[in-house]
Amino acid sequence: REAEKVFGREMRANMFTIAKDVKLQVEFNPASVKAYRLIGYENRRLANEDFADDTKDAGELGAGHTVTALYEIIPQGSNEEVRTTANLKYQQTRLSDKATNSKDLLTLKLRYKPLDSEKSILLEEVVTNETKPFASSSQNFQFSAAVAGFGLLLRESRFKGDITYDQVAGIASASLGQDPNGDRADFVQLVKKASLLDD
C-alpha cells in the first residue's frame, strides 16, 4: 500500500516541479515565546546563514506537494523552566520595540528559486499570537498532531508527556476528514497495531 502511494500517486505529482531550492525559516518573537522545539526534521536543518545563500541546495517543490512542520512552544510568562545560556562578555541581548509592541508570535520566511532562475525570491508571512482550543483547530492540524504524538511514542521520546496510543488513535479517528485513498484510516489501524505490540 505504501509503495502504491509513494510510486503511484505521489511520484506523479512530484514529477512536475514548480519551484527549486525551497527553504523555510521560522523566527519566533522572544516577547511572546520563551522557548521552542521543532518536532522532527532533525536531518533537514540548515544553518541560519544558509537560508539567504543561493549557492546552498535545498529541496524541490512539486505540484500538489504539502509540508507540515510542528513546533512545541513555551509561552513567555510561563512558569516552566528552560535552559539558559551563559551571559556574553562582548554582546548584550535586548528586545526591539517591534518585538515588545506587537502581537506577533512568529514570522515565517519562505525562499525559493523559479525554475528558470538561479536567484531566489523571498516571501514573508506574520502569524499573530492568538490562543485557540485544540478542538477548534483544522482537521489537518489535529491529524498532524496525532502523527507527531505517534512518532514520540515510537521513539519513547522524553517529550511525549502523558499521551497514549489510545489518545493518538482517538485524535486521528476524529480528524480523518476527506480521506479518498484511505491513508488516514490506515494510519489509525497502524496506531492500534503498535498499541498491541507495546502491551
Side-chain angles (χ1 to χ4, degrees), residues 23 36-37 45 59 98 132 138 144 153 167:
K23 302 173 187 173
Y36 65 89
R37 181 176 67 85
R45 291 188 182 180
K98 189 176 278 190
K132 193 174 186 181
S138 71
S144 296
L153 284 169
Q167 288 173 320

Side-chain angles (χ1 to χ4, degrees), residues 18-144:
I18 58 173
K20 59 185 182 180
D21 289 335
V22 180
K23 302 173 187 173
L24 296 171
Q25 188 176 61
V26 176
E27 180 183 357
F28 287 98
N29 178 358
S32 299
V33 178
K34 187 176 188 179
Y36 65 89
R37 181 176 67 85
L38 176 62
I39 301 173
Y41 290 101
E42 288 89 351
N43 61 343
R44 303 286 298 195
R45 291 188 182 180
L46 289 171
N48 283 341
E49 60 270 19
D50 291 342
F51 180 72
D53 186 347
D54 283 349
T55 65
K56 296 290 184 182
D57 291 335
E60 293 183 341
L61 189 67
H65 191 166
T66 60
V67 175
T68 302
L70 296 176
Y71 284 86
E72 177 183 16
I73 66 166
I74 298 173
Q76 200 57 261
S78 164
N79 293 329
E80 190 163 346
E81 291 186 16
V82 297
R83 290 189 306 177
T84 57
T85 57
N87 290 330
L88 298 174
K89 182 178 179 181
Y90 301 108
Q91 299 178 45
Q92 285 186 329
T93 303
R94 187 184 72 80
L95 291 181
S96 69
D97 292 339
K98 189 176 278 190
T100 54
N101 297 328
S102 79
K103 292 186 177 182
D104 295 359
L105 177 69
L106 62 90
T107 298
L108 172 67
K109 298 177 185 177
L110 180 131
R111 189 176 284 280
Y112 73 96
K113 293 178 188 172
L115 296 180
D116 58 354
S117 175
E118 289 304 314
K119 184 169 177 55
S120 66
I121 296 172
L122 175 65
L123 302 174
E124 290 189 23
E125 187 72 32
V126 173
V127 176
T128 55
N129 191 3
E130 296 176 15
T131 302
K132 193 174 186 181
F134 180 73
S136 68
S137 59
S138 71
Q139 288 182 325
N140 284 339
F141 178 81
Q142 291 182 38
F143 190 81
S144 296

